[in-house]
Amino acid sequence: MIADTQITDVALAKQLGLTAQEYDFICRKLERKPNYAELGICSAMYSEHCSYKSSKPHLRKLPTQGPRVLQGPGENAGAIDIGEGWAVIFKMESHNHPSFIEPYQGAATGVGGILRDVFTMGARPIASMNGLCFGSETNPVTHGLVRGVVKGIGDYGNCVGVPTVAGQTFFHPCYNGNNLVNAFTAGLVRHENIFRASASGVGNILVYAGAKTGRDGVHGATMASKEFSSEKEPERPTVQVGDPFTEKLLLEATLEAMQKGLIQSIQDMGAAGLTSSSFEMADRAKTGLHLNLDKIPSREHGMSAYELLLSESQERMLIVTQEDKFDGLKAVFDKWDLDAEIIGVITEGKKVTMTYKGETVVDMPVDLVANPPMAERPLSAPSDLKQLWFMDRNQLMVAPLQQKIDRLLDTINFADPTPLTQQYDSMVGNRTEGGTFDDAAVLRLREIKSKPLRLAFSTDCNPRICQLDPREGGRRAIVESALNLAVRGATPIGVTDCLNFGNPENPEVMWRFSESVEGIAEACEALKVPVVSGNVSLYNDTDSRPIYPTPMIGMVGLIEGEQKLPYSNFFGTELELAIIGNLEASLGGSQLAYQWFKRDCGQPAATDLPASQRMIKFLGQLAKKNMAYAAHDISEGGLVVAALEMAFRSPYPETGVEIQIPSRIEIDEVLFGETCPRVLLAYAPENRVEIETLCSRSAVKFNKIGNTTDKAKFKVTQGLAVLSDMSVSTVKETWQNKWKGFFN
Amino acid sequence: MKVGVITYPGSNCDDDAVYTLQETCGWQTDRLWHKDTPSLSEYKLLVLPGGFSYGDYLRCGAMAALSPIMENVKAFADAGGYVLGICNGFQVLCEAGLLPGALAKNDSLRFVCKDVDLKVETNDSPWTNFLKAGDTLSLPIAHGDGRYIIEESDFAQMRGRHQILLTYQNNPNGSAFDVAGVCNEKKNVFGLMPHPERASDLRSRNGMGVWRSIQSVLEKA
Amino acid sequence: MRAKVEIFYKDSVFDPQGSTICQSLKRLGFHTVKEVRMGKVIDVELESSSPRAAQQELENMCKKLLANPVIESYKIILGETATT
Amino acid sequence: MRAKVEIFYKDSVFDPQGSTICQSLKRLGFHTVKEVRMGKVIDVELESSSPRAAQQELENMCKKLLANPVIESYKIILGETATT
Ligand SMILES: Nc1ncnc2c1ncn2[C@@H]1O[C@H](COP(=O)(O)OP(=O)(O)O)[C@@H](O)[C@H]1O
Ligand SMILES: [Mg+2]
């Protein structure tokens, strides 16, 4: 007999975020009304955040198969074979809403969550990245958000001892009131040590391990499924506080217990806490569970069943093991000063029952909770796309070049991120190679002795393009991430995505979502990189204005064998420069267009996927030649920004650039166009022939465009005309100082 | 030659230290656990690694300095055994009273991770005898609490005794007198904020100077 | 005039630092310790025209900068001097 | 029994947090502020047999763990309750 002290009705269900139809569905399946705790379980598990009810049908379009895939989407993280019996485990996840309410703790617990997703799979985390989007720099709240988020990420990752090695930061007014914090972590594991989250083996016990449960974050999942409004204070559950120290202990205890064979299966308690971890583990194994909530280690008095089930206290795990292994398991957790308690047992019958204080408080079919009905979301193409695509090309054409360059660079999006990146420990683990915070970070895998192997990591997304043409935005995020890896000599092997969008009940948002996913799918298929994990964050709106679609991509690449890493800067003052790819590129959706017209405009040109694939292959082969060269992909800000960044990072302060634009070629398109794929290459003149030969053999275009100089000038010429001749050091100083203001 | 690396709860550069001592220096390296109280007499060198013992809660290194193993470490040091503290290990040594001074929050109030240029103040020590006094040594730092605090009179005395081994050329954290690494009067205990174990094979080999220095002493011992 | 502001996490917010210190104290043999909460104390020297004015200014400082209302609560104590 | 321990840097030690807060307060227009020092306050719930015993225990805790005499000084305040 189920305890029915608290009667529920539709009104209460609605308060908890369920629809009337959903409530009705639950009552029919149960053949009775759910009690309060059961309703809470459903409200969390039916939320967008946990159920993916709007996005799941679209996500099926993503390619998830491939010869290297050991684990695709569906587990805590994806797994890709890297050879020698080893695998890389990775995932990216959003913590947008919590980071807006409390930037420091929100970002910190975001890092904590993604770390747990990776070590739950048995992998030792070796690298983290983050993708951040903030509102306008002139918005007074932006500075506090940047400071809090960056400190939160740093304090958590630094303390646990996982290096933060790359990332992306983008400022745009569309994120005023709804910033994005996407955290990526990758870990290493031997194939045979990969753990999965499945509650199999009737009679096996369920063990609660890690930090104690408090009331923090009760209903966090439902909050992440609501939009913010500046009018009314959003519902604020108690903010979860991250404890990186406990996380580090949990990491070590978990890996040690796994290595000693004391764990059969394991899942972290993330969004919707014990509820989602228990129901999901039972669902995967097609078993049932019985839990005794009295056994849960709690740190607050008088917690109700509802609170125990929906608490989002951090740093907790749910472990399945055989009863006779419990003593060993407990000894390991004792060693690390952590709790471990038996809280339940696996049963037959695909049902979860829970008792608390002598009463049965939950009695529900697993399927009802774990597989809620999907939501049918209508799609419709925005009516204003044609207007967005209009760009007054003539107005640009007649403006003097120097003025365009000056405006292009006059943005916080063109800034040296060092003041930020120095707050992250990028070296702990002793794997990080070369300059970190280049296009992609490269880590040697010191634990693999049989063969030199390195992994490369990059993250990318261009929200402007996604807004103007979401399908192209999806494609470009993939291709640019892949190029970021390829310019360092790495072969892309796997993708994780974090899809940040607005309210899915808005058909235009859903259309953009669907288009983006299809763009990602097209590009992944063309490049033959599978998506093995990901995350969706919807309801990123303020006052019904959605953010730009932001499908943030995290990509992993592999470097096999001994090869020198290419430079990512101008490593000399007598180098030749060439664009690999087309000389001219479209200004649609470019940084210049935004900086000039003060709005994102123009129609972005489509990425040539076959050409991208050839270019990636070419870059891979070039890296194997052990020739000294530098490579940098051309993206936001076009050739001008790419060349300046390479000059700024030169070891010689006198390094300058001269770009010679051939006659009858559109100057703006060469300098500012952003069509993908294009890469800027710098090499010693004597290597030109070899590079050109490889280009023609690889069917990629080679366009010599200029050279480096020792004049410390950024110079553009066409024929005899000097179109720009500006001091590199002056621009560099401005570039270096922009971010300092955030951290003073 | 056998050396030991101590793991405290929250240590996170213990793996890096073990890797460097074992793979790069080629020394037999044991891991020691803070709750144990083993005999340490078989070790030529003990390393207290970097990280965030006890989460850096309360004060960096304060709780680790009270670990059960620390009684043994103190006895080991008193008997002339060589002890090295890197970053958090340096903080632990100061908190345990094995080194003078204390480490406080960086004056920027921010964590900072970068390569810094150090000046070798003296090579009259077991830890720097392989280096040249006055030379520049570039090593990475990664800390939020590296501001060394010492009274001027104590500093003068330590300097006179060649206890100040490394100083920063561009002070990154507000340390008094630019101090980056110090040893005790007997010179068998050394603590520094920079990470030589992160600069011994991959990013650079500058950290090898420290290992070669102590190796020559240990081999003679 | 001298004043102090004490800032703690709200009771409902987990305080990992306090609980770690508590465990350490117990391990060191201080068995009478039941709970520890860790907070900040800000000692302010200010030249206000009156205690009432000071109180008001400190309230404003807390709201504007010193405390984070989402997770922290604060208490103003007028007239006390800091430890020296 | 409830007690508090306040811990501040000694006057001779530079307190970057205090001086940063002081500057920020002035920037925000709080011109009456002259000086700010930032410290820690540790709120302890303990079951001692008497106030004297509590005082003694807290002294020991400070000496052993809570304060570092090289850079910090502390003050024990018995019987006060934390902010709520
Ligand atoms: N939030 C962040 N976290 C970590 N790294 C970042 C972050 N923002 C920027 N970076 C790093 O700084 C480097 C330079 O940034 P940026 O100039 O935006 O990249 P790009 O080289 O693609 O132009 C990037 O390679 C990136 O790794
Ligand atoms: Mg790039």
Side-chain angles (χ1 to χ4, degrees), chain A residues 274-560:
Chain A
L274 181 59
T275 295
S276 63
S277 51
S278 56
F279 277 92
E280 282 173 12
M281 283 182 96
D283 184 49
R284 288 201 191 94
K286 304 290 165 223
T287 53
L289 302 177
H290 175 73
L291 298 185
N292 180 353
L293 303 185
D294 297 292
K295 300 282 187 200
I296 294 176
S298 70
R299 68 178 146 74
E300 291 188 62
H301 294 297
M303 289 184 69
S304 66
Y306 179 94
E307 290 167 329
L308 287 169
L309 282 168
L310 294 173
S311 160
E312 293 190 356
S313 289
Q314 301 288 296
E315 293 96 20
R316 303 179 301 160
M317 291 285 189
L318 188 62
I319 294 171
V320 173
T321 192
Q322 289 88 25
E323 195 165 3
D324 59 354
K325 294 200 171 148
F326 178 70
D327 290 342
L329 186 68
K330 182 143 178 85
V332 171
F333 279 82
D334 274 350
K335 171 184 163 187
W336 293 97
D337 304 319
L338 293 170
D339 281 314
E341 292 297 336
I342 300 177
I343 60 163
V345 59
I346 297 176
T347 58
E348 279 174 76
K350 303 183 192 173
K351 220 170 81 164
V352 171
T353 55
M354 304 189 191
T355 53
Y356 188 45
K357 297 185 173 158
E359 281 186 324
T360 299
V361 288
V362 171
D363 184 349
M364 304 178 89
V366 173
D367 195 53
L368 171 67
V369 176
N371 300 299
M374 292 291 103
E376 297 247 338
R377 304 290 191 202
L379 318 178
S380 82
S383 47
D384 61 350
L385 270 185
K386 292 264 147 47
Q387 277 152 270
L388 293 177
W389 287 350
F390 172 75
M391 183 176 70
D392 188 353
R393 184 70 191 79
N394 277 338
Q395 204 197 105
L396 265 181
M397 193 91 81
V398 298
L401 179 64
Q402 192 57 49
Q403 200 182 344
K404 284 181 270 195
I405 293 178
D406 291 346
R407 281 237 210 139
L408 172 80
L409 302 181
D410 184 21
T411 162
I412 189 70
N413 287 317
F414 175 71
D416 181 4
T418 305
L420 178 159
T421 56
Q422 274 186 356
Q423 297 181 54
Y424 301 148
D425 189 339
S426 53
M427 304 183 274
V428 58
N430 211 349
R431 298 183 186 87
T432 317
E433 194 170 338
T436 45
F437 303 105
D438 292 323
D439 287 301
V442 177
L443 278 83
R444 58 111 176 236
L445 307 180
R446 65 179 195 206
E447 35 282 279
I448 303 176
K449 302 263 157 59
S450 48
K451 182 176 175 187
L453 286 179
R454 283 173 283 182
L455 286 174
F457 302 99
S458 76
T459 178
D460 208 284
C461 178
N462 183 337
R464 302 183 202 287
I465 307 293
C466 298
Q467 174 73 357
L468 294 169
D469 180 350
R471 181 177 294 261
E472 168 57 17
R475 282 191 290 250
R476 205 175 286 194
I478 291 293
V479 173
E480 285 192 0
S481 301
L483 283 174
N484 281 335
L485 300 174
V487 293
R488 313 246 60 209
T491 310
I493 56 171
V495 168
T496 182
D497 60 357
C498 193
L499 308 174
N500 308 274
F501 286 76
N503 184 337
E505 294 153 43
N506 173 341
E508 297 190 353
V509 168
M510 250 354 255
W511 180 82
R512 285 193 158 100
F513 183 84
S514 161
E515 286 287 304
S516 296
V517 170
E518 286 176 16
I520 291 172
E522 279 173 27
C524 284
E525 261 150 30
L527 304 186
K528 300 192 176 61
V529 269
V531 177
V532 294
S533 59
N535 176 254
V536 178
S537 169
L538 302 177
Y539 296 96
N540 291 291
D541 322 49
T542 328
D543 298 333
S544 302
R545 261 182 304 109
I547 59 162
Y548 278 7
T550 314
M552 193 71 72
I553 296 301
M555 203 179 284
V556 178
L558 184 65
I559 302 175
E560 293 175 285

